[in-house]
Amino acid sequence: MGGSRAQVNKSHKTRFASKSSRNVHKVSSKDKSRIGKPDRNVIKGARAARLQRNKMMREQKRDALLKEKRASSGSNSPPRVIVLFGLSRSVDLSALEQDLLKLLSADGIGVVFPAVASPEYKLRATVLKAPHGDLLACMEMAKVADLIAFVTSANSSSEDDCYIDAFGSHCLSIFRALGLPSTAVLIRDLPSELKKKNDSKKVCTSSLASEFPEDCKFYPADTKDELHKFLWLFKEQRLSVPHWRNQRPYLMAQKVDMLADNSISGKCTLLLSGYIRGRSLSVNQLVHITGAGDFQLSKIELLKDPCPLNVRKGGDLMESDDMNEAQVISCLTPDPMKQEPLLVENVPDPLAGEQTWPTEAEMAEAERNQEERKLKRKTLPKGTSEYQAAWIVEDSDADVSESENEEDDGMVLDEGENAFNGQGRRDEFELDDDQASLSLESDGETDTQSMMMDGENLTKEQLEDEIRKIKEAHAEDEEFPDEVDTPLDVPARKRFSKYRGLKSFRTSSWDPKESLPQEYARIFAFDNFRRTQKHVLSRAREMEQNIDESIPAGSYARLHVREVPVGVANKLNLVTKTMPVILCGLMQHESKISVLHFSLKKHDSYIAPIKAKEEMLFNLGFRQFVARPIFSSDSFNADKQKMERFLHPGRFSVASIYAPISFPPLPLIALKIKDNASSATVAAVGSLRSIDPDRIILKKIILTGYPQRVSKLKATVRYMFHNPEDVRWFKPVEVWSKCGRRGRIKEPVGTHGAMKCILNGVLQQHDTVCMSLFKRTYPKWPEKWFPMTDA
């Protein structure tokens, strides 16, 4: 360990280096003059430009924040919507609502009107009280809320976990699926003693903190000072709303009226008054009223604000509601050339697919074939006339026609592929048919085979009983959910005539335009959905910038919605007593019907099974419509998707429906309507995924049979079919077994549907032979589109 601790490195060996190699890194004096020295002024200029650019970005962000703050809390902004939601039934929301209104309104002025202006807080607000137990009303209030104030009572016993009951927890999960706006928790009924008050608040906070976002704050809300502090912080708070809400203009109607329309029987003009929120609303665009449908606007009247922040300027307007006609500032009417048409379904042309006259190419081809037929010589016996010669068919033609007839006699496999590729392998299996039939009846038969009953001697009841016993012994419903029984009274070629076999589910082709249903003639499709969405969004921005045709956000207006059914208008008048009536603006194409696909997951609280094509109520953002979805898997590596008969819990599936077009992103709440139309239960939640009518969804069925006799690679299988004609029809389709064997059908055996199969391995006696068949499925067309309209 002795000696110096200084690091000593080996010296560089220059013994064999030449003088030129030692000086290669040096620059000659001639080149030094050519190389310019780094200009420090240039470096300083680049640094200054970088600092200037960063400073401009900071100023732009600051200006954007100030503009957003002024838009949400300034005098030109619409009143903020505060929704009071009780987490349990024991919470008294009425007392809290009265306390907040007393603080916001001076001497009770403005309590009657839904919006309240407070010069003290420099704030306008609308306080809504969510009815406990009414799911639809709570959902509609959450869609328009700027702040959801969750109210709980400190008197609730923590042992019973009553700070939040089942309905409160259920609604909270739905609010999360919709997208939570700004939130706060108000704690009522705290003890007056300071220590007990703090302890009780800590217990309540720790119990509920996991249910809310991290930035959600808890406020005591018993005294006037505590509510004053809450309102002051709420006024200064930067509100956050879901992104989908800012994509479209919307209006929460504070007054609903009707005007009779004498020109059209059964229709009227609906008048909705309220504040425009979100974006500017154009008089030329279509609007959607939640639950009622899509409509056009006949007029927009810009009214003087009935609830100004400065009471001295507009105090007289709040005393009477009869002065609405005098408050009209301006009036906008739609331009017939620019107004969006209310087009829902496409009008199909019944003669579009008819061929009334051959094309020129077809006529030319027919002439060529006729000339070739004339030039072709036939060997005819002596004395044959020209008329007789026309009826004589050559051997080659007969062979071709026979082969075509044989192919048409059975089911065609997709892409013309048989169970095995290659002619050599097919010839190998078809060699020595007599030996194969003899070997099936040879001593290779086991004891179990000899004990099985001969299917040809059984009656129909005995057949069903034996099939049921074998099914019970081999039942694996969860592993093979697609198995179906072949009917005894209907031929399988008729029962499953729409099904086909696929060589490979992933790689086999399936034409998306093949054999489309009649409903596809009534829907719309996009050549390029992403490009269309960009174009529609840019067009919406252009409409907002046109001041002459649009009303800016924050304005108080009266919308004249034309051609509304009288029954729907009467229902909307009744709905306003329990929940807000919401109107939202639609973008281009959003009234047209297409095939929409959603990413959907079954809600944890819904226990009953959800079967495909059952009627459900879809809440997509502000829109609401009736749909009958089908469910499918989501495979990324295939252009075809497998249909699911039920919506399975615990995982996402894709739901496909016929519905009006909407552009994502939008949240989805799927409701199951009970016998009483007013009550609904949340069945599933999700989001809009895409719009694509060409998405192929295949329904899969599995026909099963059971081996009767097995000899090496050959086996006699029964109970898959019940007559030999069905065996010949499904002969091109590949068969497989649950133990991993694959093969093909060779020929029918007997008269009761047994068949001879050739497989790629020895078939076990306990194995099951299966055949997979597929057909394309489509959503079901609903009887009505919107819940308030008649079917």
Side-chain angles (χ1 to χ4, degrees), residues 267-283:
K267 299 293 181 73
C268 67
T269 300
L270 190 68
L271 306 182
L272 300 179
S273 302
Y275 290 94
I276 306 294
R277 303 172 187 270
R279 290 181 176 272
S280 300
L281 177 65
S282 174
V283 71

Side-chain angles (χ1 to χ4, degrees), residues 22-38:
R22 288 198 298 268
N23 298 327
V24 71
H25 66 283
K26 295 182 180 180
V27 181
S28 63
S29 58
K30 295 180 180 180
D31 295 335
K32 283 184 179 180
S33 59
R34 299 178 185 177
I35 301 174
K37 295 182 179 180

Side-chain angles (χ1 to χ4, degrees), residues 200-224:
S200 181
K201 182 183 175 183
K202 285 182 180 179
V203 171
C204 183
T205 303
S206 61
S207 300
L208 297 175
S210 60
E211 300 287 342
F212 299 99
E214 295 180 357
D215 58 348
C216 180
K217 295 184 179 181
F218 292 75
Y219 300 95
D222 285 321
T223 63
K224 183 179 179 180

Side-chain angles (χ1 to χ4, degrees), residues 244-264:
W244 61 267
R245 196 191 294 182
N246 290 329
Q247 286 185 329
R248 297 167 179 81
Y250 65 98
L251 176 142
M252 184 182 67
Q254 296 176 338
K255 192 175 181 182
V256 180
D257 294 320
M258 291 172 53
L259 283 179
D261 191 354
N262 298 325
S263 60
I264 304 176

Side-chain angles (χ1 to χ4, degrees), residues 32-208:
K32 283 184 179 180
S33 59
R34 299 178 185 177
I35 301 174
K37 295 182 179 180
D39 190 1
R40 295 189 177 183
N41 294 329
V42 175
I43 297 176
K44 286 183 178 180
R47 181 172 180 271
R50 186 175 67 252
L51 293 176
Q52 181 67 19
R53 184 174 63 253
N54 293 340
K55 181 181 178 182
M56 290 176 62
M57 292 176 63
R58 286 195 303 270
E59 290 178 352
Q60 289 176 359
K61 290 181 180 180
R62 189 182 299 111
D63 293 341
L65 286 175
L66 287 174
K67 183 178 179 181
E68 182 182 352
K69 186 176 180 181
R70 287 167 184 159
S72 62
S73 60
S75 59
N76 295 327
S77 64
R80 294 188 175 186
V81 180
I82 305 174
V83 175
L84 302 178
F85 180 80
L87 292 176
S88 61
R89 189 176 292 274
S90 60
V91 177
D92 185 10
L93 295 179
S94 300
L96 179 60
E97 183 186 18
Q98 293 298 325
D99 294 342
L100 288 175
L101 290 176
K102 287 179 182 178
L103 283 176
L104 289 171
S105 59
D107 300 330
I109 297 176
V111 175
V112 179
F113 197 80
V116 180
S118 174
E120 179 183 357
Y121 296 101
K122 295 181 180 179
L123 176 70
R124 296 191 299 174
T126 299
V127 181
L128 300 178
K129 183 176 62 175
H132 194 85
D134 191 347
L135 180 62
L136 291 175
C138 294
M139 280 179 51
E140 295 303 312
M141 290 182 182
K143 291 178 184 179
V144 297
D146 294 318
L147 173 76
I148 301 181
F150 296 96
V151 187
T152 185
S153 176
N155 292 336
S156 302
S157 174
S158 60
E159 297 178 359
D160 299 335
D161 195 17
C162 291
Y163 287 115
I164 178 170
D165 58 6
F167 180 78
S169 179
H170 184 62
C171 286
L172 190 56
S173 65
I174 297 170
F175 296 161
R176 292 195 201 99
L178 284 173
L180 277 173
S182 299
T183 56
V185 178
L186 304 181
I187 307 174
R188 301 276 286 182
D189 304 327
L190 287 170
S192 57
E193 187 179 349
L194 184 60
K195 187 177 183 304
K196 291 182 179 180
K197 182 177 181 179
N198 292 334
D199 293 342
S200 181
K201 182 183 175 183
K202 285 182 180 179
V203 171
C204 183
T205 303
S206 61
S207 300
L208 297 175

Side-chain angles (χ1 to χ4, degrees), residues 59 87 195 201 231 295 441 454 519 574 689 781 787:
E59 290 178 352
L87 292 176
K195 187 177 183 304
K201 182 183 175 183
L231 288 176
F295 304 98
E441 297 175 0
D454 190 5
E519 289 81 6
L574 296 175
R689 179 177 175 147
W781 197 271

Side-chain angles (χ1 to χ4, degrees), residues 14 28 91 137 147 173 218 220 244 299 333 351 354 435 530 542 553 596 640 667 721 723 738 742 750 780:
T14 58
S28 63
V91 177
L147 173 76
S173 65
F218 292 75
W244 61 267
K299 186 168 54 172
T333 55
L351 301 178
E354 294 292 331
Q435 294 181 6
R530 297 296 177 189
E542 291 176 1
L596 277 64
K640 298 173 286 296
F721 305 108
N723 56 70
K738 294 184 179 181
R742 291 190 172 273
K780 194 145 187 175

Side-chain angles (χ1 to χ4, degrees), residues 352-369:
E354 294 292 331
Q355 182 180 359
T356 57
W357 191 258
T359 61
E360 294 181 0
E362 292 174 343
M363 294 175 68
E365 185 179 359
E367 290 178 358
R368 281 198 308 271
N369 294 338

